[in-house]
Every structure is written in structure tokens, then in C-alpha cells.
Amino acid sequence: MGRGASAEVLLDDAADVVLKPRTDRRDYKCVVLGNALQALIISDPDTDKAAASMVVNVGSFSDPKGLEGLAHFLEHMLFFSSEKYPEEDSYSKYLTEHGGHSNAFTAAEHTNYHFDVSADYLEEALDRFAQFFICPLLSADATSREINAVDSENSKNLTMDMWRMNQLTKMVSSKDHPFHKFGTGNLETLDIGPKSRGVDTRDELVKFYEANYSANLMRLVVYGRESVDELQTLVHDKFSSINNTGRKAEKFTGQPCLPEHLQIVVKAVPVREGHNLEMMFPITPEIQNYTAAPSRYLGHLIGHEADGSLFALLKKLGWANSLSAGEIDSSLEYGFFMIAVELTDIGQEHMEEVVNLTFQYVRVLQQQGVSEWMFEEVRAVCEMKFHFQDKRPPISYVTDLAGNMLLYPSRDWLAGSSLPRHFDAEAIAGLIDQLKPERVRIFWYSKQFEGKTSQREPWYGTDYIIERIDDSLVEEWLKAPINEKLHLPLPNVFIPTDFTLRDPEPKVEHPLILRKSEMSRLWFKPDTKFRTPKGCIQIQFNCPESYYSPEASVLTRIFTKLLVDYLNEYAYYAQVAGLNYSIVTTGTGFQVSVSGYHHKLITLLEKIIDKVVNFEVEEERFSVIKEKVMKDYLNFRFQQPYQQVMYNCSMLLEHKRWHINEFIEVLPSLEGRDLTAFFPRILSRIFFECFIGGNLTANEAEGLVEQIEKTLSDGPLVKARPPFQSQHTEQRIVKLEPGADWYYPIAGTNPQDENSALQTYFQVGQDNTHTNVLLELFVLAAKREVFHQLRTVEQLGYVVFLMSKNDYGVRGTHFIIQSTAKDPRGLEERVEVFLEQFEKDLKKMSDEDFKKNVDTLIEIKLEKHKNLWEESRFYWGEIEDGTLTFDRAQVEVAALKKVSKEDLLHFVAQNIARSSPIRRKLSIQVYGGQHIPEFKAAKGEVSQEKKLNGTHDAPENAAPVLDGKLATRAAADRIDNIYTFKRSQQLHESLRGGRNVAYA
């Protein structure tokens, strides 16, 4: 049917048959519009946010030769403007003004667009969204600019191993299959190359759009507060005009790998430290038999970590830090099963034996036969997770569902492949048989291969070499005797059976202090909203001895990692059964988090505490963990520059924080005996703060905390005692003086990364309701304009954003920009120019527009938590910061209703404006590989060449020339040493352990 066809039908009576979770109260309806667009409509009367996602059945596989990245580039371009809404970026502006946001991604065979917005504004948001697919402008001016954004996005990925190795697996495949392609695109593929051949990229973009963006190739999900019938009318009105050209989805038949791409080892040099082994096998994709779930069954067993598993054996041998298994990169036609192992240094020397043991485990599965009880256990866990799943943010929900609509019949649009339905031993056995040595593709990544490679991947520059695996080695892998330690896992005793909902007592809206002593404080909040059989427990153990020196901090980190290591075989069963736990180091000790079904939650936590008090150092595991921690520290230098500026900002602001370079310095000399000697000091003085929420009773909560106190106080190795008053937790932030204008220039830690980055931070002050809301109003009003002006118009880089910042209750805002277009001082000047213009625009803002911003922020603040984890995370954040404003939304909304435009103008003039004599500014500047000369100038260094020529660099506070203008830098102060700077500054008071709470 052509444009404007209006007849529509229900899809397979799907309104009645869509399989949904038993606890899901939303209404679903599936329809087909007259133009053959299929839509899933979801009505949720309780939602604060509406959302939509459109998936188009075309992706990077369809890129024309010589225009790699065209599908991805089109995804970028559709955001700009349309015939109906010609103002550039008006779509994103509308969403931002109404509490929403948007994004998109391009996959191999589809492209997904999605947004959310405050529920009252869905209709116009949908109308604007629909124009992507009806009449986009794709203007020549925007096209020429946005190519730079695609190139900047690709530039960001060049030093990331995930992207580099993913492309390498494509490189080592058939050139005749689109799997071989480079899908992101860059300046060469989208601009320079086409121009050299006389090809107009915009013309090709329009042709690609018109050829592929047909209504029958699209799937739409709309989520709103209205009834399904009202939403259906909206969908019909907004999307029926999408043209249906009748184009059929392109099918990519054949296999990506020919015989010469199997039985090989590809050795490659990564950017980061570490050794990784990936065994990939071409398989029949699970989508062809998803109700039997053969890949899920096989991934569950090969990826298992309990006693008898492949990983448990590799860990005991000291050869592996982690192992995962499952299907990846699958389509309707092909798939790959991957077993990924992170090798230790010793494991790197035993790669062939690691592979040998892997094939031994595969043979265990073959010899034992496909186990129906194991399948039923997998099915039971999957059913439990599906039927008791938590509500998610609508935007992520609709995005996933739209993708499902391309793959599954309408009945399974919600479930996808998450619900194994029937036992098919033949299908599972057939999949296991495909994991043969002669079919393996081994990708082995290590810096040990530097200088030993002969080829370079063209798009990311990864050095590699391909070697055939000898038939004799294949024969050895096929016939090696099976290690007696390899066997199937035991039945999982952690699978919950008690889903009883307890009556919440006491019925309170916010956490209350249920119990406190000299050693602990217990916050309790029963579940009064979500009525789900789950709980959440957070415990912050504050140990004064744990962070008194870099050595103490490193040893505490190794202690927590060893705890996780020792618990793994026991707790892995719990994780499979829907219980999650983590043990991490903090700046004041360590934190234990446990969440999931309440039935076995306390059992798991008691086991963790038992491991804490009975902790002993195993020398072999200490060495393995030490090696892993050192690699983590060393890999910091390969973080993105924008991540480095944020790290250094935290270093400059947090009073008590050791630098990662100090950890790297002290770690090599530390031994197991050091941790044995130090561990008693960690627990010698301890205070723990605990939050318990969800489907647990007050008696259970109190009993648990009493038991933890008793266990710590009567430990077999250490008798823990409460800390002295002088040892209680402090979280203090540097208090920048009025008029402060500091900048901290540093060279990027990865010379191969051309990107520079800037973080410009404006400190406002300690948690205060009035200034909090004005700060957030400023960010809301400015952040869309920041993105549009600095990213879209000026094309400074792909990473450009403005956000509020909260450091233990000290509020501020910061600009983050990563760029190859300008050095950090150039970026900083563009920020200042933007702020000058924004202040002028703010003065011209109408009262009506100001009220719109206030109303939008009120809607954002009143948005309800969607699940227990969101609620618990908010409460725990207030407890961690020491602010304890559990009714923050209501308090700040009341304040928002009283603020005026003049209040906001005064706030900006005092705290943000360049002309303010009292604003507090701190800029962190990371200079990338191509901006080293600018870095030397920022540091005030004089180059040898200029000395010889009798000239000098500008002095430290001289004004650099930027964009032909003289930038004001006279009042700025350079930071040369983090600790010298911090010692010279005042500090904000600590809210934690301070005025907001008196410890018992």
C-alpha cells in the first residue's frame, strides 16, 4: 500500500495472546497499520514517562561498497530536522524541555531509534519522532557537519580493545560476506574517499533512505499512560503516512567463515595490559529453535563457576581470572558460540592446555548426555526471572521489545528467547557437536605478541598474525584423557521456593533508624510500593585502618577481591538463582551489597560475613589477585581522556584520596604475608552502616545486624571493637574560594590517543535546597543548548555534555568535552563564549518559557521509582552522602514552586558567569597526542627551538590566541601538584559523621 493507507488490523489476535509476566499489570496490543507497519502498544496508567522505539530492518550490512558507515551516518542525520519541523535539533530540544531524552544505534541488520518524555507530552513527541520516517530534510549543511561527529565517534573507539578486537574477528572472515565490513564509518569512508571518486555522500544518503526506510520493514513500540485504544489512535494518526515501498528485507545468506577461517589461531596485540583467549565456533543460531534454548543450556554449563566446572579447574591451576560462554553475533542465518577466558600470566604460558581442558569439558557434556533435570533447572530459573521481573525505565523496555519484533512471532515479543519452553535433547546435542577442534577460531590477545606479528587490521590498526592449528594438536585435543575434576554441577539449592509477600511493618514512607549501637546503625524500609518477593541489603564497613596509607588501601582492595574469589564456588549458585552480591573497597573500608529474592538472601549474607571473620591468605590466590590488580591499575592510562579528566577532578576535590600512581608504586613489594599481618588491623576497629529494604521484616533486619555485630566481636582471628570518636568517617571536599579560577594541565596517559579532553567545573556549595534547585534549573535550561551549539554546530567532538555534580553533598556543575578539533584551552574558551551567550539568552527568556523549565524539573523530580532497586539506591545515596533528605523530591519541588526567573539570573551571574568576581572554577585539561605543543605552552615550558631562535613561550598567565581572539587568562592559577594544591585549600565540613547524625 502507498503513503497514507489507513486500514489496520489486529496482529494474530495478539491482544489476547501476547505472553507476559504474571506480575505485569500493563495492557498490550499489537496492530498492523494500513502501510504494513507493525506496532506494539503498551498502556501503563501508573507511568510517569512515555517512550517509543522504532526499529528499521536495515543496518550496516547494507552499506554500499566504498561508503562504509552510511547506515550509521543516516542514523545520526535523522535527528536533525524534517519538513514539518525544519528547525535544526528541535526534536531533541522538545524532549529535553519535557523531561526526556533520545538515542539510537546501528547494528548489522537493523537500526533502532528511541526516546522517552514526560507522559503528558507523548503526542507531540511522537509526531516529531514520526517525521524521521516521513520527511527528513537531510540538509547538505548538516550532512557536511555531522560527518565530523561520526568521525569523532570512531576516533573515540580507536584505542578501545572491545572495538578493535570485534573488528578483527570480522577481518578474519569471508570478504564476500557483509560480516567482513567496517560498520561505524569515518571521515575517509564518508567524505574524503567518496569525493575523490566524484561521489556525493548526501545524494547517496538520500538514495539509501528512500530505498530502505519502508514502513513494512519497520517495527514500532509505543508506551504511554493512555489506554491501548487511545494509543492505537495516536499511532495511526502519526505513523500511517510513512511510505511503504514494498521492499523486502535484505537477506544475507551463507556463512561468514569459510574453511580457511577455521582451525586457526589469531594472535593480536591489544592496547591494554592482560591476556585474553576467545574460542569461537560457527553454530546454528539459537533463533532457529529458541524455545529449546540450546545455546542458553550450553552457555550455562560451560560458563558455570562452581566445583566441577571448567573455570573452577582453571582457577585452581592459577591459569584464569574469569570465563564466560554463550552465543554472540548471531543472526537468522548464522551464529557464533564463544568461550572467553581471561588468562593470568601463568595461564598465558599454558594456552594450549587451557584449550585442551575446554575440549575435555565439551567431551564431558557429550559423554554424560544432555540432562533433562539440568534443562528443567535452567527453565525454572528463567521462568522465575521472567514472571518476577522488575519494571524497567520505559525507554530501555521499548528499545529491547522493538528489536524482538523483528525476530519473534507476536506471542513472544515480550519473552523473546528468555523462556526455554521444551526439552529438545537432539537440538542441544547437535549444538555440542558443533564445538569441535577443527571448527574453532581462536583469538588470542596479549602484549607479548608485540614485534611478532606480520599483518595490520586497516580500520583500527591492530597488529596480528594468523597461524593454522596443526592436525596433530587437533588430534591431541580430541583424545586427551578427561581430567577427573571436571563434572556437571550439582542441583542448585539456592533456587527460591518461598515467594510469600510479608505485611510491611512498620508502614513508613522513608527509612527509619531501627537500631543503633557503638558498632552499627541500621536503617530499615519495608517494601510498601512494589510488593515483590525481593530484598536489598547494603552494608558499609568503615574501618579506620583500611585507608591510612596507599599500602593499606591496596591491601584492603586485595582483601575484598580475595573474599569474592573464595566465595565464588559457593555463591555462583546463588547468582544463577537470582541473588546478586558484591564486595568492593571504598574510601573508608569496604562495602557488601546483597539483593534478590528474599528467601535465601540472609543465608548468602551470613556466609559472606563468615568468610570475612575467618579470612586467611592463600599465597597462590594472593599472587593471582595481585597480578590482576596491578593490570587494572596499569590499564588506567588507557582510559578515555574524558574519563581521565573526571578522575583527576575527583583527586583534586576529595580531601583524603590516594593517587593510582601511588598504588602502582607500592603494589610490587607487597606479599601475602603483608596481608596476613595487616588483615587484623582492618577489623580491629569497625563501624558499619546498614540499609535493609524490601520484603524483609523488622525482626529479621534487627536479628541480622545483631548477628553481624556478634560475629565480628567474637571472631576467631580478630575481636572487632567500635572505633574511637576521632576515627569515625569523614568525607570532606575542597572548598574553592570565591573568585577561584584554577586549571590543571596534564598530558594524556596514552600517547597513541589523539583526543584531548576538558572538564570545567563550577562549585556552588554544600547541599542546600534553594541553590540545589537553581543549579538543576540552570543545567536543564543549558544542557540541550550545550549539545547543540558545541557538538552539532561547532563540531568540537562526539563527547559533549553538561551535568550537575554531587561530591558527598557538595554541589556544582561541569562541562565535559573530548575533542581532536581543539586543545583543552581552546575548548575552555568555547565554553566561556557559550556561557556568555547563554546568559544573554536567559535574560530574554519569557516568563512562560521559564515556567516550562520549572514545570519540567518538577515532573522529573516527582517521577516515581520503578522498582525496589531504584528506591533503595536513592535512599542509600542519601545515607552514604550523609545528607539524609529522604523526602528530597517533595522538599525541592516545594522550593521550585517559589523560585523566580530573577533568582535563576542571579544564581548564574554569581556562580557561572565569567564576569562574576565570586564564582569558583576549576578546569582539568588532558592533552592528547596531537596537542603536546599546546600542553607545553599551558605548562609554561620553553621549547628548545624557541630558545635557539631567541624567542620564548608565553609566560604561565599570558593570554593564548584562540580563534583569532585573545583569551583572558590573567586571573587563572595553574595547579602543578595535586597535594600542594589540596593542602592550600579550605575544606567543606563532612556531612557523614557530622551534624546530620550523632553516632551512638
Side-chain angles (χ1 to χ4, degrees):
M1 294 184 190
R3 188 184 296 271
S6 60
E8 58 192 59
V9 295
L10 290 180
L11 186 63
D12 299 330
D13 294 323
D16 299 318
V17 300
V18 171
L19 182 64
K20 69 176 190 177
R22 288 194 294 269
T23 54
D24 191 344
R25 300 291 175 256
R26 293 168 289 203
D27 291 326
Y28 296 83
K29 191 174 187 179
C30 309
V31 298
V32 184
L33 301 188
N35 58 0
L37 172 67
Q38 294 183 30
L40 171 62
I41 293 161
I42 307 171
S43 171
D44 179 2
D46 296 326
T47 190
D48 299 301
K49 281 280 178 73
S53 177
M54 178 77 89
V55 66
V56 187
N57 200 174
V58 62
S60 59
F61 275 8
S62 298
D63 287 341
K65 188 173 182 181
L67 280 164
E68 290 83 2
L70 191 68
H72 178 221
F73 184 33
L74 177 59
E75 170 228 301
H76 276 238
M77 288 303 304
L78 292 190
F79 282 80
F80 273 80
S81 53
S82 62
E83 290 176 16
K84 185 171 183 179
Y85 299 101
E87 183 186 350
E88 196 173 282
D89 242 27
S90 66
Y91 163 74
S92 298
K93 186 171 184 288
Y94 180 84
L95 294 179
T96 303
E97 288 173 346
H98 297 99
H101 68 292
S102 63
N103 213 331
F105 62 84
T106 303
E109 297 184 56
H110 68 271
T111 307
N112 189 301
Y113 303 84
H114 44 274
F115 74 86
D116 67 1
V117 71
S118 293
D120 291 336
Y121 299 93
L122 175 61
E123 180 173 2
E124 185 172 339
L126 271 183
D127 192 54
R128 290 172 177 274
F129 184 60
Q131 304 311 308
F132 283 27
F133 314 103
I134 298 172
C135 54
L137 287 180
L138 303 176
S139 73
D141 175 57
T143 301
S144 63
R145 279 186 281 118
E146 194 62 15
I147 284 174
N148 294 318
V150 173
D151 186 66
S152 178
E153 182 179 354
N154 181 65
S155 174
K156 170 182 69 70
N157 300 336
L158 291 177
T159 57
M160 297 175 68
D161 283 328
M162 178 187 73
W163 287 91
R164 292 163 66 88
M165 300 313 169
N166 180 57
Q167 190 62 40
L168 184 58
T169 64
K170 297 175 181 297
M171 186 69 191
V172 186
S173 66
S174 171
K175 290 185 172 71
D176 297 325
H177 194 283
F179 182 78
H180 185 78
K181 288 184 175 183
F182 166 58
T184 307
N186 59 24
L187 204 59
E188 176 62 38
T189 66
L190 295 171
D191 186 53
I192 298 171
K195 280 180 179 174
S196 71
R197 301 189 303 274
V199 174
D200 186 304
T201 300
R202 181 182 177 271
D203 287 348
E204 296 299 320
L205 200 68
V206 173
K207 287 179 193 174
F208 188 88
Y209 177 83
E210 291 177 345
N212 294 289
Y213 274 54
S214 177
N216 66 306
L217 299 182
M218 298 181 185
R219 304 290 184 270
L220 172 70
V221 184
V222 174
Y223 187 114
R225 185 184 286 164
E226 298 83 355
S227 71
V228 287
D229 291 337
E230 290 171 308
L231 290 170
Q232 182 178 346
T233 300
L234 265 183
V235 167
H236 172 268
D237 291 347
K238 306 303 180 187
F239 294 91
S240 289
S241 295
I242 298 175
N243 194 26
N244 177 12
T245 66
R247 181 180 178 88
K248 292 183 178 179
E250 195 170 357
K251 291 193 181 297
F252 303 97
T253 56
Q255 293 298 309
C257 296
L258 302 174
E260 60 262 34
H261 304 122
L262 306 179
Q263 199 176 318
I264 58 170
V265 176
V266 181
K267 299 176 180 176
V269 181
V271 171
R272 297 167 68 90
E273 298 288 341
H275 321 290
N276 288 278
L277 182 68
E278 294 177 354
M279 289 163 270
M280 297 176 65
F281 304 84
I283 60 166
T284 304
E286 182 163 276
I287 188 66
Q288 295 184 12
N289 192 8
Y290 67 92
T291 59
S295 287
R296 183 180 290 271
Y297 175 94
L298 191 55
H300 171 72
L301 289 175
I302 296 180
H304 215 282
E305 298 183 13
D307 182 57
S309 68
L310 173 62
F311 176 66
L313 177 54
L314 293 177
K315 194 177 104 170
K316 281 186 175 73
L317 292 167
W319 293 352
N321 287 317
S322 67
L323 184 149
S324 61
E327 186 173 317
I328 63 162
D329 280 337
S330 62
S331 75
L332 294 171
E333 301 290 331
Y334 69 86
F336 293 98
F337 192 91
M338 183 169 80
I339 303 166
V341 184
E342 182 189 353
L343 299 170
T344 62
D345 287 349
I346 299 172
Q348 172 73 1
E349 305 303 318
H350 293 271
M351 184 279 281
E352 290 183 4
E353 290 141 287
V354 170
V355 177
N356 194 334
L357 286 170
T358 301
F359 285 117
Q360 288 178 41
Y361 192 78
V362 171
R363 282 161 49 218
V364 167
L365 301 182
Q366 290 172 322
Q367 292 176 10
Q368 298 267 334
V370 180
S371 169
E372 186 167 5
W373 76 262
M374 180 61 69
F375 175 85
E376 288 301 320
E377 186 172 279
V378 171
R379 185 189 59 76
V381 169
C382 288
E383 278 198 358
M384 179 182 68
K385 289 181 179 178
F386 178 74
H387 288 296
F388 289 105
Q389 63 183 273
D390 298 303
K391 257 192 180 181
R392 296 160 55 193
I395 189 170
S396 66
Y397 191 49
V398 298
T399 300
D400 287 350
L401 295 185
N404 282 356
M405 291 173 72
L406 285 176
L407 299 173
Y408 304 98
S410 56
R411 173 177 169 78
D412 285 334
W413 280 354
L414 305 191
S417 61
S418 67
L419 275 183
R421 246 67 60 87
H422 73 276
F423 178 62
D424 186 338
E426 186 177 339
I428 296 172
L431 177 63
I432 296 172
D433 286 343
Q434 292 182 67
L435 272 56
K436 295 177 178 176
E438 58 268 31
R439 292 171 51 80
V440 74
R441 288 156 53 85
I442 295 177
F443 290 85
W444 188 10
Y445 313 125
S446 173
K447 288 203 167 185
Q448 288 186 4
F449 301 136
E450 282 183 314
K452 301 174 184 177
T453 60
S454 57
Q455 294 173 267
R456 174 165 289 184
E457 191 280 316
W459 301 110
Y460 291 85
T462 304
D463 292 324
Y464 71 100
I465 187 171
I466 303 175
E467 299 174 354
R468 296 293 301 174
I469 299 173
D470 289 342
D471 289 340
S472 60
L473 188 55
V474 169
E475 193 70 16
E476 182 183 332
W477 288 341
L478 283 168
K479 295 183 176 178
I482 294 174
N483 191 297
E484 60 184 12
K485 291 188 171 66
L486 295 174
H487 58 79
L488 294 178
L490 299 172
N492 192 341
V493 296
F494 271 102
I495 296 177
T497 54
D498 178 8
F499 301 106
T500 307
L501 297 180
R502 280 80 174 271
D503 289 330
E505 285 295 338
K507 289 185 174 63
V508 290
E509 286 192 31
H510 305 298
L512 52 81
I513 296 178
L514 198 60
R515 180 185 185 277
K516 63 179 181 177
S517 71
E518 290 184 331
M519 189 177 278
S520 70
R521 181 168 60 162
L522 167 61
W523 296 92
F524 180 65
K525 169 64 175 71
D527 176 15
T528 56
K529 296 178 184 176
F530 309 107
R531 309 307 291 140
T532 182
K534 299 176 182 179
C536 180
I537 303 174
Q538 301 272 14
I539 309 178
Q540 173 88 352
F541 291 95
N542 298 309
C543 314
E545 295 277 356
S546 69
Y547 205 75
Y548 77 88
S549 69
E551 288 90 346
S553 183
V554 171
L555 288 170
T556 303
R557 181 180 174 90
I558 295 176
F559 158 68
T560 59
K561 287 190 169 295
L562 280 171
L563 277 176
V564 173
D565 189 74
Y566 297 163
L567 282 161
N568 192 59
E569 288 188 24
Y570 172 86
Y572 185 77
Y573 284 106
Q575 289 180 304
V576 168
L579 293 179
N580 300 303
Y581 79 102
S582 69
I583 307 171
V584 296
T585 312
T586 67
T588 57
F590 63 100
Q591 183 170 305
V592 175
S593 305
V594 185
S595 61
Y597 300 97
H598 73 264
H599 185 195
K600 306 289 179 73
L601 197 64
I602 290 178
T603 303
L604 176 59
L605 182 58
E606 288 174 343
K607 180 69 173 181
I608 292 171
I609 300 302
D610 180 67
K611 279 288 184 185
V612 169
V613 298
N614 289 287
F615 179 80
E616 292 182 9
V617 178
E618 296 177 15
E619 287 288 345
E620 286 187 6
R621 297 311 299 165
F622 178 91
S623 299
V624 170
I625 298 298
K626 174 183 171 180
E627 173 194 310
K628 171 68 174 149
V629 169
M630 178 57 90
K631 285 174 184 169
D632 289 344
Y633 289 150
L634 292 173
N635 282 328
F636 173 80
R637 74 189 111 158
F638 302 116
Q639 283 193 319
Q640 293 278 302
Y642 79 89
Q643 296 170 311
Q644 293 180 31
V645 290
M646 290 192 288
Y647 173 81
N648 280 282
C649 185
S650 295
M651 282 299 309
L652 287 162
L653 292 175
E654 293 181 26
H655 171 53
K656 187 179 179 184
R657 180 161 180 172
W658 308 114
H659 197 283
I660 197 165
N661 290 342
E662 295 170 307
F663 298 155
I664 292 171
E665 182 179 337
V666 303
L667 181 54
S669 63
L670 296 176
E671 302 294 342
R673 61 177 176 272
D674 297 309
L675 181 54
T676 299
F678 177 69
F679 164 70
R681 296 173 62 179
I682 298 177
L683 297 190
S684 62
R685 298 278 174 180
I686 196 165
F687 181 92
F688 64 94
E689 189 129 41
C690 181
F691 169 80
I692 297 179
N695 195 42
L696 295 159
T697 67
N699 286 340
E700 285 176 318
E702 285 195 79
L704 176 63
V705 169
E706 286 174 8
Q707 181 60 41
I708 293 173
E709 271 197 27
K710 185 174 186 303
T711 303
L712 290 170
S713 300
D714 299 335
L717 305 174
V718 187
K719 311 294 183 189
R721 295 292 177 263
F724 295 108
Q725 284 290 316
S726 58
Q727 292 179 305
H728 273 295
T729 301
E730 286 186 3
Q731 293 174 162
R732 307 197 68 181
I733 297 296
V734 163
K735 185 176 186 178
L736 299 179
E737 295 179 356
D741 187 1
W742 293 97
Y743 70 105
Y744 180 48
I746 53 173
T749 50
N750 180 10
Q752 277 69 53
D753 196 329
E754 297 291 303
N755 289 279
S756 292
L758 168 78
Q759 178 178 17
T760 297
Y761 165 70
F762 300 101
Q763 190 175 83
V764 173
Q766 204 142 28
D767 192 51
N768 173 279
T769 300
H770 183 66
T771 53
N772 287 353
V773 298
L774 290 172
L775 170 65
E776 292 181 56
L777 264 181
F778 161 73
V779 171
L780 179 67
K783 69 178 180 181
R784 180 66 235 155
E785 297 305 319
V786 167
F787 187 86
H788 176 63
Q789 180 62 34
L790 301 184
R791 183 191 184 279
T792 305
V793 176
E794 298 187 28
Q795 289 291 315
L796 294 182
Y798 180 73
V799 178
V800 176
F801 56 85
L802 167 68
M803 294 176 65
S804 55
K805 184 170 166 58
N806 178 10
D807 299 286
Y808 302 133
V810 176
R811 304 301 181 106
T813 183
H814 59 165
F815 289 79
I816 302 282
I817 307 176
Q818 181 167 293
S819 176
T820 55
K822 289 183 182 294
D823 72 279
R825 293 176 82 166
L827 297 175
E828 184 179 2
E829 181 61 18
R830 298 318 305 158
V831 168
E832 292 286 15
V833 170
F834 168 83
L835 287 173
E836 287 176 358
Q837 184 59 47
F838 177 78
E839 190 175 14
K840 292 174 186 175
D841 294 341
L842 193 59
K843 289 175 182 175
K844 297 175 189 174
M845 180 186 284
S846 67
D847 291 340
E848 182 183 357
D849 284 343
F850 173 77
K851 187 175 185 306
K852 278 183 184 176
N853 278 293
V854 171
D855 290 345
T856 297
L857 188 53
I858 287 174
E859 286 178 358
I860 292 170
K861 288 190 170 296
L862 291 180
E863 185 178 340
K864 298 185 287 287
H865 295 123
K866 283 167 283 299
N867 54 57
L868 180 66
W869 323 126
E870 280 191 16
E871 181 185 75
S872 298
R873 204 160 43 235
F874 166 73
Y875 289 141
W876 183 242
E878 292 289 336
I879 293 167
E880 278 194 307
D881 287 346
T883 43
L884 305 182
T885 310
F886 299 128
D887 59 348
R888 182 173 297 278
Q890 291 73 25
V891 169
E892 294 187 345
V893 164
L896 269 170
K897 290 177 178 178
K898 296 177 183 177
V899 299
S900 65
K901 177 184 165 185
E902 287 66 34
D903 291 332
L904 181 57
L905 284 169
H906 179 72
F907 173 86
V908 172
Q910 295 283 94
N911 296 285
I912 309 296
R914 182 185 244 177
S915 58
S916 170
I918 62 169
R919 79 168 179 179
R920 302 165 177 87
K921 177 184 171 187
L922 170 64
S923 284
I924 296 89
Q925 307 169 351
V926 169
Y927 288 78
Q930 70 174 11
H931 292 135
I932 294 304
E934 290 86 349
F935 169 65
K936 291 180 178 178
K939 292 287 286 184
E941 297 176 8
V942 181
S943 71
Q944 190 63 30
E945 181 183 350
K946 290 184 178 180
K947 283 182 182 178
L948 293 173
N949 290 335
T951 59
H952 299 277
D953 283 306
E956 177 185 327
N957 291 327
V961 176
L962 299 165
D963 296 338
K965 297 180 181 179
L966 208 61
T968 305
R969 191 36 117 175
D973 294 304
R974 187 178 70 221
I975 298 170
D976 291 314
N977 181 282
I978 288 175
Y979 299 103
T980 302
F981 165 75
K982 288 204 281 195
R983 281 192 287 268
S984 71
Q985 301 299 300
Q986 297 180 33
L987 299 173
H988 281 284
E989 68 172 297
S990 174
L991 297 179
R992 190 98 178 267
R995 58 186 166 90
N996 280 355
V997 58
Y999 287 109

